[in-house]
Amino acid sequence: MNEKREAAIVGVGMTEFSKRSGRSVEQLALEAASAACEDAGINARDIDGIVPFPLGPSAEDLIAGLALPDVRYTSGSHMGGASTVASLALASLAVREGYAETVLVFIARNGSSGARVSARVTTLPGQRYRTNLEHPFGFSTPAQWYSLWCQRHMQLYGTTREQLGRVALTMRENAQRNEHAQMYGKPLTMGDYLSGRPIAEPYLLFDCCIETDGAGAVIVTTAERARDLRKQPVHLVGYAEGHADSPDDIANRRDFFSVGLTKAAPRAFEMAGMKPRDVDIALIYDCFTFEVIQQLEEAGFCPRGEGGPFVEEGAIAMGGSLPVNPHGGLLSEGHIAGMNHIIEAVVQLRGDAGDRQVARATTAAVTGWGDMGDGSLALLTTRTV
Amino acid sequence: MESAAQRPLPDVDDSVLSGFFDGTRKHELLVQDCRECSAVMWPPRVKCANCGSFSTGWVRHHGTGTLFSWTRVHHAAIPFFALKTPYVVAVIELDGLPVRMIGELRVPPDWDLAVGASLTVSFEDVDNRVTLPFWMPVGEELAT
């Protein structure tokens, strides 16, 4: 029987998060990549595989910037924000196959001072529909698109504004234990949340994630090589991507709340031989508050329609049955398309999270979300197999 | 200077959508159908999602539907719409068809929106080539 080489994350690195980095995205990428190599205890020249985010610096920009002598594997996911988590699969497949040994996965953006979300959404599928059937009616931003799910969910299942607010408050509270977070030192009350200006109802200001200048990178290698390196390896034991029906249009989906994650989650759990109840921490792609509720449901952490009460009873808070985003998430730490969620999962599973450490956490689930509901899920663990 | 912001207009010659805009120009609401298996599709596509045929056409709908979901927009990225906030974008489920269209829902500001509300289409000629559909609650169109 062939022994499958497992993949493991052995290094993580991030720049600071800010509204204005004052640096190019290329520089941010190189800083994050260098930090990840240092964290792993490897020389950058060992990198022989690169998986970049679909927007921003390319693999070859990093080959050039890091002066890498021989990169033999590059690939990329094209699912908007879901690409970071999906890229863990692309890196894992390469190292497990022996096609590359040390793969860098990264993202760098000046998402606050540079290309903000309205500039980033022009690469979506279905531009014909956006331009001809939606823009003429003033429908053009992710907040507007995703609010359609939130609105109907509130109508059908009775999900409340206070439950959405509970997500926002939980993320903001978590950020108060994370000096790296853009919202560190900026607590949020329910009164603040409820009086936030409306963006695209039901979404108010604090239902929406922040924009960030910053970069993040992880190093993926084989579990075997990981044993010789500096930090406790975190094993990638399950991963999958999924695309909604159809990926280029939300309105006509027969099963309206079903998204890419709905398809990806069962595949990832089956691959890992795990169930949602085996997960100690969930890192959920929180582009908007409601998307946390929707992803908790679609990934199987609670039944569809019950995400609101699940959140309301405190399940997702630190100390709850399923802590979500101890770092504050996209809502309160910063938005680098969930690479920070992958990194937080690794830090937590290593036991290095300090004040925000989730006790006895050995298994984390990380979701990805992008475009019109593309999805991905990765399962990370320090449990020995 | 008076606002130069214009409503972004569709490309009415788009290869997949031109038939729809030929219909709106005649104040007809058309949806795409498949000439082989008769499936109705929205949004219109290059080939039938049901049987794979490239042979598609258009069929007329009487223009009523129900409110499936919506958002009331207060922050618009498109300059023309930044002047119109708040406005409502709706998903309208056509009566009797598995078709849900995105559209602008014209309602009085205090109108109580609810899933299932009955809606009807009307058409506005923007210029001599472009006519756009708009939606209103049944009964409201009589008030204008």
Side-chain angles (χ1 to χ4, degrees):
Chain A
M1 176 174 106
N2 283 340
E3 265 190 356
K4 280 196 287 192
R5 289 146 47 107
E6 269 210 347
I9 300 179
V10 295
V12 301
M14 280 190 295
T15 66
E16 87 288 359
F17 286 175
S18 72
K19 289 187 179 212
R20 178 169 286 278
S21 69
R23 312 187 303 281
S24 68
V25 289
E26 190 197 2
Q27 173 151 0
L28 294 173
L30 292 170
E31 289 176 14
S34 300
C37 290
E38 190 175 318
D39 183 63
I42 64 168
N43 193 310
R45 298 173 74 75
D46 290 347
I47 294 171
D48 63 353
I50 303 182
V51 183
F53 191 72
L55 299 176
S58 67
E60 291 195 324
D61 288 330
L62 275 278
I63 292 174
L66 293 170
L68 300 179
D70 189 18
V71 166
R72 51 198 167 119
Y73 173 73
T74 62
S75 68
S77 172
H78 297 274
M79 296 200 293
S83 303
T84 45
V85 172
S87 293
L88 295 178
L90 302 179
S92 297
L93 292 169
V95 304
R96 292 179 69 185
E97 182 60 30
Y99 199 73
E101 191 174 55
T102 309
V103 181
L104 170 72
V105 182
F106 78 94
I107 178 176
R109 57 166 51 158
N110 279 324
S112 171
S113 67
R116 295 177 73 96
V117 64
S118 50
R120 302 197 300 264
V121 295
T122 57
T123 59
L124 289 190
Q127 283 303 318
R128 157 182 289 126
Y129 306 130
R130 311 286 86 77
T131 307
N132 297 306
L133 297 180
E134 295 173 7
H135 295 176
F137 308 117
F139 191 63
S140 67
T141 70
Q144 294 158 8
W145 307 330
Y146 303 163
S147 68
L148 299 178
W149 278 306
C150 183
Q151 186 76 261
R152 188 164 168 92
H153 201 273
M154 292 170 105
Q155 294 271 311
L156 291 193
Y157 300 115
T159 301
T160 67
R161 169 151 303 298
E162 284 72 18
Q163 287 162 350
L164 302 183
R166 180 59 36 207
V167 175
L169 263 57
T170 304
M171 294 299 99
R172 187 63 67 95
E173 203 175 292
N174 289 352
Q176 302 319 307
R177 283 181 283 267
N178 179 8
E179 287 181 17
H180 185 261
Q182 286 178 257
M183 292 293 119
Y184 178 72
K186 298 179 181 169
L188 186 75
T189 66
M190 186 57 86
D192 295 332
Y193 166 79
L194 292 171
S195 57
R197 65 184 169 90
I199 302 296
E201 288 181 52
Y203 287 145
L204 309 179
L205 181 64
F206 298 108
D207 289 305
C208 308
C209 65
I210 55 186
E211 292 274 43
T212 299
D213 284 7
V218 301
I219 305 286
V220 176
T221 188
T222 60
E224 193 184 318
R225 174 137 186 269
R227 273 186 239 132
D228 298 332
L229 295 176
R230 167 180 296 177
K231 299 267 173 79
Q232 181 183 19
V234 172
H235 295 260
L236 285 154
V237 293
Y239 37 80
E241 73 180 58
H243 302 258
D245 304 318
S246 134
D248 62 359
D249 166 67
I250 293 173
N252 285 275
R253 294 175 184 161
R254 294 301 99 196
D255 183 351
F256 188 61
F257 296 106
S258 179
V259 286
L261 182 65
T262 313
K263 300 186 195 177
R267 282 201 276 272
F269 279 112
E270 189 185 329
M271 180 179 167
M274 289 180 176
K275 295 237 178 316
R277 64 166 178 268
D278 296 320
V279 173
D280 299 314
I281 334 171
L283 287 304
I284 308 268
Y285 195 97
D286 53 328
C287 41
F288 300 90
T289 52
F290 174 71
E291 296 324 319
V292 174
I293 289 175
Q294 185 173 12
Q295 288 174 79
L296 287 168
E297 295 177 356
E298 298 307 307
F301 291 110
C302 65
R304 186 180 287 172
E306 296 184 20
F310 186 78
V311 163
E312 189 166 37
E313 74 201 17
I316 66 168
M318 295 294 280
S321 58
L322 183 70
V324 169
N325 299 349
H327 57 329
L330 305 179
L331 285 163
S332 290
E333 184 192 46
H335 186 354
I336 54 167
M339 185 67 77
N340 46 327
H341 293 36
I342 296 171
I343 292 171
E344 177 69 2
V346 170
V347 167
Q348 287 280 344
L349 296 184
R350 285 174 176 175
D352 286 347
D355 288 345
R356 60 179 200 276
Q357 180 67 50
V358 174
R360 295 178 300 281
T362 59
T363 298
V366 191
T367 74
W369 173 285
D371 292 349
M372 314 213 98
D374 291 336
S376 45
L377 185 80
L379 290 158
L380 284 58
T381 192
T382 49
R383 261 183 235 160
T384 45
V385 286
Chain B
M1 164 174 168
E2 228 240 312
S3 164
Q6 306 252 347
R7 180 189 293 273
L9 296 182
D11 172 10
V12 298
D13 298 319
D14 177 85
S15 60
V16 172
L17 299 175
S18 61
F20 176 73
F21 293 112
D22 290 342
T24 60
R25 199 175 299 122
K26 295 191 291 210
H27 291 204
E28 292 177 357
L29 192 70
L30 304 180
V31 296
Q32 188 185 48
D33 73 338
C34 173
R35 289 292 131 102
E36 299 232 11
C37 74
S38 303
V40 169
M41 288 163 290
W42 196 263
R45 296 189 175 283
V46 170
K47 64 206 292 283
C48 176
N50 187 49
C51 73
S53 169
F54 281 98
S55 180
T56 61
W58 300 94
V59 62
R60 188 175 179 187
H61 187 267
H62 53 275
T64 62
T66 57
L67 186 60
F68 184 83
S69 191
W70 71 92
T71 178
R72 183 175 268 112
V73 179
H74 294 257
H75 176 81
I78 297 172
F80 175 84
F81 287 96
L83 304 170
K84 290 174 58 101
T85 57
Y87 59 92
V88 178
V89 177
V91 178
I92 303 101
E93 187 153 47
L94 297 192
D95 288 337
L97 285 184
V99 167
R100 302 191 195 121
M101 294 189 173
I102 295 283
E104 194 176 317
L105 180 58
R106 293 185 165 167
V107 286
D110 55 350
W111 191 265
D112 190 23
L113 294 163
V115 164
S118 292
L119 306 174
T120 188
V121 76
S122 67
F123 296 92
E124 186 173 292
D125 301 328
V126 179
D127 65 27
N128 63 352
R129 299 211 68 216
V130 181
T131 299
L132 293 176
F134 293 99
W135 295 86
M136 281 183 267
V138 168
E140 276 304 294
E141 76 279 15
L142 302 174
T144 56

